[in-house]
Amino acid sequence: MSIFAHHAPVFIVLLPMTASLLCMLFSRMSRNLGCYIVMASIVGAFASAVSVLQQVVAQGGKAIHYYMGGWQPPIGIEFVLDPLNSCLAVLVTFLSMVISLYARPFVKDEDWLHVGGYYTLFGLLTVGLCGMIITGDVFNLYVYLEIMSLSGYGLIALGGRKSMLAAFRYLLMGTIGASLYLLGVGYMYAITGTLNMADMAQRVAPFMNSPLVAMAIACFIIGFGIKMALFPLHGWQPDAYTFSHPAAAPFIAGLMSKAPAYALIRFMYYIFKVDNPVVHSALNVIGILGIAGMLIGSFMALAQYDLRRMLAYSSVAQIGYIAIGIAMGNVYGFIGAVLHIINHAFMKSALFLVTGGICYRFGEVNIYRLGGLNRKMMFSSVTITLASLSMIGLPPTAGFFSKWYLMLGSYTAHEYIYIPVLVISSLLNAIYFFRIIEQMFVQREASLTEVKPPTTFLGLPWEMVVPIACVGIGVLVLGFCSADIVVNILKLGLPEVFVK
């Protein structure tokens, strides 16, 4: 095995972290040098993630363990990469790579301080997301959770005057969520005497009926629920998505809620195990919150005229899909939840990439001012149509397959209530997404004022067109590959409770 392949797990985090810490220094020397270094480091992180995924698949799903400083757990900190988080590491680094290119036109006229500051925060957000996904230590997860949160606050605050209040609101709620998670870690350490996830999973089994375990589970659900914008803990999310920096909004909307959702899956399925009555009760609570989020988020999205805010409330509903998948507690629900994490990351990133492009060119994103957009931005209109059809769940787009597995999970678990809720929510999705498609392709052309006239025949700079194309095509590719490739990889690393 080559040195690169051996150290690939740590490169996923180390490369963007080093580049982010050096970004301001190099930006001071040359305005664009720092951002190029961060972008190159994210490309390296993506290559490392792909290398790790290949190794895991070649080993038949056997996890890769990387020990920090050679210290083995439970004393030392380790990165653990199995089929599940290897897929998510590829997802995060790929979207980070293309969105870092997308941001270039937004900051090209800024001074070195703004360019360097933006890419420093962007790189650190990538570090936080990747670290949360691949760490095997519960306290180390808290450290990366804070890195993700603090950089996210900064990127939201860079969006303008209104974004400052949105960032402050997120900071207040996010601090509560992180504190509750840390409190839960404290309870678990008091019970098990370890912070290593695998070690904790073995030691906590005899104490699953302890009140301390129940308190820890409650802290994890509320803490991660705030971070993933699970209804009714989503109060920070609509303003944060609406007013965040337009170049960072696709990354924030696509991934910042997915890493906490993955962490909740990791705790419920791999540490506590879903075959326990205490965990089963907790999953029922998550399912109820998921149902409420799916319905209320969809109804709230119907009432919006700002495209960004509509997409924000749509995300509240989509997080509900992930929540009910987690709550089902069976193989199909598990696969459906993970598939929807991956699919929704692509779908929502594509929608916000196009929304940012509309805002970049016309300075507004009013849904009822999109008339005739297909003639001005055909490529972007096709992309937003594909992503919208996927959000609705029409085949062969990616969204269909995650909803299909959620339906199977609901039927298998005899939780039939989820099936009509999935159908109703999908119908509501169709109403507000077809409204966008109608405005773009059917309604009379709106008299939009071009803030930045197009420099290419595609209507946007090439740095924005390439990411839109990559993510839009990804929605289709995931649709065709979900059953044959992604699901088969996930089946290699199913939780132990499903393998017995």
Side-chain angles (χ1 to χ4, degrees), residues 25-295:
L25 174 62
F26 285 106
S27 296
R28 183 67 180 88
M29 295 166 56
S30 176
R31 185 167 63 93
N32 293 318
L33 182 58
C35 79
Y36 292 146
I37 291 174
V38 171
M39 291 167 67
S41 72
I42 295 173
V43 173
F46 173 66
S48 302
V50 171
S51 174
V52 170
L53 179 59
Q54 290 175 338
Q55 293 178 53
V56 171
V57 173
Q59 296 175 176
K62 183 180 178 181
I64 294 174
H65 297 261
Y66 187 91
Y67 306 129
M68 296 297 166
W71 291 90
Q72 294 192 11
I75 299 174
I77 296 173
E78 66 171 341
F79 284 165
V80 182
L81 288 112
D82 57 19
L84 170 58
N85 60 7
S86 296
C87 284
L88 296 181
V90 172
L91 169 72
V92 171
T93 51
F94 174 77
L95 290 177
S96 176
M97 180 176 62
V98 297
I99 295 172
S100 66
L101 175 64
Y102 174 86
R104 287 291 302 145
F106 286 95
V107 300
K108 68 178 182 179
D109 296 326
E110 301 286 352
D111 58 24
W112 72 270
L113 185 61
H114 286 84
V115 175
Y118 174 85
Y119 276 94
T120 296
L121 292 172
F122 189 91
L124 289 175
L125 179 55
T126 304
V127 170
L129 291 168
C130 290
M132 284 186 67
I133 289 170
I134 68 176
T135 185
D137 183 277
V138 294
F139 184 78
N140 206 30
L141 190 149
Y142 167 75
V143 173
Y144 286 114
L145 175 68
E146 286 296 273
I147 293 174
M148 178 200 78
S149 300
L150 292 172
S151 53
Y153 304 150
L155 288 172
I156 292 169
L158 289 176
R161 186 177 61 182
K162 291 183 178 179
S163 66
M164 298 293 290
L165 180 59
F168 183 68
R169 182 178 298 155
Y170 183 22
L171 185 151
L172 292 178
M173 293 193 67
T175 301
I176 295 173
S179 300
L180 285 171
Y181 170 74
L182 194 59
L183 184 61
V185 170
Y187 286 140
M188 293 301 295
Y189 184 75
I191 296 169
T192 63
T194 183
L195 296 172
N196 182 266
M197 291 182 182
D199 201 35
M200 183 177 288
Q202 294 179 355
R203 296 191 186 188
V204 76
F207 304 100
M208 283 304 300
N209 294 322
S210 166
L212 279 181
V213 171
M215 286 292 294
I217 292 174
C219 288
F220 292 143
I221 292 175
I222 298 173
F224 288 133
I226 291 173
K227 292 294 185 178
M228 63 190 277
L230 177 65
F231 181 88
L233 307 171
H234 68 288
W236 61 269
Q237 190 246 48
D239 283 348
Y241 285 16
T242 303
F243 302 121
S244 63
H245 194 289
F251 199 43
I252 292 172
L255 289 169
M256 272 194 70
S257 59
K258 307 306 184 302
Y262 159 78
L264 186 60
I265 291 175
R266 180 63 70 181
F267 272 91
M268 293 298 174
Y269 281 80
Y270 291 86
I271 296 179
F272 295 121
K273 313 293 175 60
V274 293
D275 56 352
N276 182 273
V278 176
V279 179
H280 182 72
S281 299
L283 294 182
N284 288 335
V285 173
I286 295 173
I288 293 171
L289 298 181
I291 290 174
M294 290 166 63
L295 296 177

Side-chain angles (χ1 to χ4, degrees), residues 354 357-358 361-364 369-382 439-441 443-461 465:
V354 175
I358 297 171
R361 182 170 170 183
F362 301 111
E364 61 175 297
R369 296 272 292 163
L370 300 180
L373 189 69
N374 64 314
R375 290 185 288 275
K376 297 178 180 178
M377 300 174 66
M378 172 56 74
F379 189 79
S380 296
S381 299
V382 171
Q439 288 293 324
M440 291 189 304
F441 290 94
Q443 292 298 324
R444 186 173 59 186
E445 184 172 335
S447 55
L448 293 171
T449 302
E450 294 194 0
V451 177
K452 294 183 179 179
T455 56
T456 68
F457 72 96
L458 294 172
L460 292 171
V465 172

Side-chain angles (χ1 to χ4, degrees), residues 262-339:
Y262 159 78
L264 186 60
I265 291 175
R266 180 63 70 181
F267 272 91
M268 293 298 174
Y269 281 80
Y270 291 86
I271 296 179
F272 295 121
K273 313 293 175 60
V274 293
D275 56 352
N276 182 273
V278 176
V279 179
H280 182 72
S281 299
L283 294 182
N284 288 335
V285 173
I286 295 173
I288 293 171
L289 298 181
I291 290 174
M294 290 166 63
L295 296 177
I296 295 175
S298 298
F299 279 114
M300 290 298 295
L302 281 170
Q304 307 306 314
Y305 62 88
D306 186 301
L307 180 55
R308 297 167 300 184
R309 202 165 189 84
M310 189 209 82
L311 295 176
Y313 279 109
S314 171
S315 288
V316 175
Q318 299 300 316
I319 291 298
Y321 285 81
I322 298 170
I324 67 168
I326 296 172
M328 291 172 191
N330 57 34
V331 174
Y332 292 121
F334 170 82
I335 293 175
V338 176
L339 263 187

